Amino acid sequence: MAKVLIIGAGGVGSVVAHKCAMNSDVFTDIMLASRTKAKCDKIAAEIQEMHGVSIRTAQVDADVVAEMVMLIKQFGPELVINVALPYQDLPIMDACLETGVHYLDTANYEPKDVAKFEYSWQWAYKERFEKAGIMALLGCGFDPGATQVFTAYAAKHHFDEMHYLDIIDCNAGNHGKAFATNFNPEINIREITQPGRYWENGEWVEIPAMSIHKPIDYPEIGPKESYVLYHEELESLVKNFPTLKRARFWMTFGQEYLTHLRVLENVGMTRIDPVKFNGMDIVPLEFLKAVLPAPDTLGENYTGQTSIGCQIKGIKDGQDQTYYIWNNCDHAETYKEVRGQAVSYTTGVPAMIGAMLMLKGIWMKPGVWNCEEMDPDPFIEQMNKQGLPVQEQVGVPLPHEY
């Protein structure tokens, strides 16, 4: 049915490639490309062995628009799935504009030299994509991505007005490492060491990093200490659902992880500005990334589950309404299926689903869009088919103050 080009061969890129190959009736010709072709070749060999599907591989530097344009013209995809680094979003979008190809990513753009992520840079492409007659779907992973679909589904089916939104994200897995991050260490550590933010009464409230926390009870997992962070989907959700009085994002962290992180911060290893070492400029966080376990190596002995969902309070038919929608994902099961751990799986599967809906014309309109601006029903239907079953409860007590 369609050619697709996947950029990025880390843990998420591997899952996307596996799941596209497992849906070869839609993704009839797949190319996986990254800066290191050997990583792509290894994933391609796994896919051939596990699913009997051949995919193509290529080397490309996604920072260089001309290289991306050349590869797109050579391969001729209908859609580019960007699961490279967030710094590379804009060059890849530029290449898609130049070649007239649709675009999808899983994380919004952030500059390499500033720990700041927001949608403004990518939203600025809206008119150019409309004029080119092509679509860009932003942040189609789990959070962002599925959490926005969950919110849109709640608004469509369960509320007249949504007033309070809490996105809750728990990884209760154990990978047996003293310290490791479940996705790109550079992005992960930048995200959680910056000040937290949440939306309340029409404005952003900024708080010191990790300063608001409490235990939240997660299905099949139990209570886990959860911390308020700023997460990118909040920016688009409060814009697209203006009745929200408060919107927050919570994530779990174990004490051992936080202790390691505090020590690394204190000794300067999380800095993103260069320091001189033996006459060379070295960014400490980039060096730390090089010595930490790669996220795509964590899967084999990973046990436990993730649990990610949305807890919402609002009004339906003039009455107070509460709603909880979530997915639990098992690390060991995802490794059996696609040789990846659940954090990569929960990001990669929604990316494949978003791409599938775009290629089928179900989610297709020129411009730049966030996931909650699309019809949530076909996405939820595919989550249930593709390994991320959705669960929901209506009218249950929620662990938040209103």
Side-chain angles (χ1 to χ4, degrees):
M1 178 180 174
K3 285 185 175 184
V4 64
L5 172 60
I6 304 163
I7 306 294
V12 176
S14 175
V15 172
V16 174
H18 273 268
K19 293 299 287 192
C20 286
M22 293 166 71
N23 288 272
S24 57
D25 57 325
V26 176
F27 305 97
T28 49
D29 198 347
I30 303 161
M31 176 178 279
L32 178 63
S34 82
R35 201 185 306 259
T36 308
K37 187 173 182 292
K39 293 173 71 175
C40 301
D41 292 338
K42 179 176 179 290
I43 293 166
E46 269 181 3
I47 289 170
Q48 179 66 55
E49 180 188 342
M50 295 176 69
H51 314 301
V53 175
S54 296
I55 72 167
R56 306 193 219 184
T57 63
Q59 190 278 331
V60 71
D61 184 343
D63 289 318
V64 181
V65 176
E67 283 196 28
M68 281 295 308
V69 168
M70 186 182 300
L71 181 61
I72 291 170
K73 286 182 174 177
Q74 286 172 353
F75 180 54
E78 287 186 42
L79 170 70
V80 171
I81 301 176
N82 168 19
V83 281
L85 293 172
Y87 323 133
Q88 296 166 321
D89 289 358
L90 301 189
I92 297 173
M93 289 181 79
D94 287 336
C96 286
L97 268 175
E98 191 170 328
T99 54
V101 172
H102 303 299
Y103 170 90
L104 178 150
D105 66 32
T106 62
N108 66 1
Y109 174 74
E110 62 178 280
K112 196 167 180 59
D113 56 351
V114 184
K116 177 183 182 182
F117 47 91
E118 59 182 50
Y119 280 118
S120 60
W121 290 286
Q122 291 179 278
W123 284 343
Y125 280 69
K126 188 174 182 69
E127 189 175 330
R128 279 175 284 169
F129 268 71
E130 284 175 354
K131 284 182 178 176
I134 56 175
M135 177 177 178
L137 183 63
L138 306 183
C140 192
F142 207 108
D143 44 352
T147 51
Q148 290 153 281
V149 173
F150 285 174
T151 306
Y153 187 83
K156 180 176 179 179
H157 295 286
H158 296 287
F159 291 96
D160 298 322
E161 283 190 10
M162 297 186 297
H163 294 160
Y164 300 94
L165 166 66
D166 287 277
I167 300 170
I168 60 171
D169 180 327
C170 172
N171 178 16
N174 178 16
H175 48 54
K177 309 287 186 187
F179 183 80
T181 62
N182 293 289
F183 57 97
N184 185 288
E186 206 178 334
I187 305 305
N188 179 245
I189 291 171
R190 281 165 64 120
E191 178 181 289
I192 66 177
T193 54
Q194 69 171 321
R197 270 199 296 166
Y198 63 92
W199 180 260
E200 189 163 39
N201 298 324
E203 62 183 18
W204 292 106
V205 179
E206 187 167 297
I207 58 172
M210 318 294 270
S211 59
I212 296 179
H213 57 95
K214 66 180 178 182
I216 292 176
D217 199 353
Y218 293 87
E220 301 177 51
I221 291 170
K224 293 286 182 182
E225 198 69 16
S226 307
Y227 297 78
V228 171
L229 307 180
Y230 177 64
H231 227 243
E232 60 209 70
E233 65 262 46
L234 296 178
E235 182 184 9
S236 66
L237 285 169
V238 300
K239 171 176 168 276
N240 288 312
F241 297 105
T243 62
L244 285 171
K245 299 176 182 179
R246 187 183 69 209
R248 301 180 295 192
F249 181 95
W250 303 78
M251 184 174 278
T252 60
F253 297 97
Q255 282 308 308
E256 187 176 17
Y257 180 95
L258 294 177
T259 300
H260 275 84
L261 185 62
R262 194 172 302 115
V263 171
L264 292 168
E265 277 192 278
N266 288 342
V267 300
M269 285 304 299
T270 63
R271 287 171 55 176
I272 62 173
D273 56 311
V275 298
K276 285 287 184 191
F277 178 75
N278 287 347
M280 295 185 299
D281 281 339
I282 292 178
V283 175
L285 184 54
E286 291 180 0
F287 176 79
L288 179 62
K289 173 186 173 182
V291 298
L292 286 176
D296 58 359
T297 66
L298 300 176
E300 188 167 5
N301 298 306
Y302 219 138
T303 57
Q305 296 184 70
T306 62
S307 183
I308 313 173
C310 295
Q311 298 182 330
I312 305 169
K313 183 176 186 294
I315 300 292
K316 177 70 173 177
D317 298 329
Q319 302 293 317
D320 283 349
Q321 172 83 297
T322 60
Y323 179 67
Y324 180 22
I325 178 170
W326 76 95
N327 162 265
N328 273 35
C329 188
D330 186 276
H331 287 286
E333 292 302 315
T334 63
Y335 186 78
K336 285 180 197 170
E337 185 188 341
V338 297
R339 294 291 183 268
Q341 38 95 345
V343 177
S344 297
Y345 190 88
T346 54
T347 305
V349 175
M352 180 278 294
I353 292 172
M356 173 186 286
L357 296 180
M358 288 173 70
L359 292 171
K360 286 185 170 183
I362 298 168
W363 278 16
M364 179 51 67
K365 50 184 176 178
V368 175
W369 305 97
N370 295 93
C371 290
E372 70 270 22
E373 297 177 282
M374 303 291 119
D375 181 6
D377 293 4
F379 195 99
I380 297 282
E381 181 185 347
Q382 283 300 323
M383 286 184 72
N384 288 324
K385 290 178 179 178
Q386 300 290 345
L388 292 174
V390 176
Q391 303 181 68
E392 55 184 336
Q393 292 179 328
V394 180
V396 293
L398 300 177
H400 310 291
E401 305 75 38
Y402 300 110

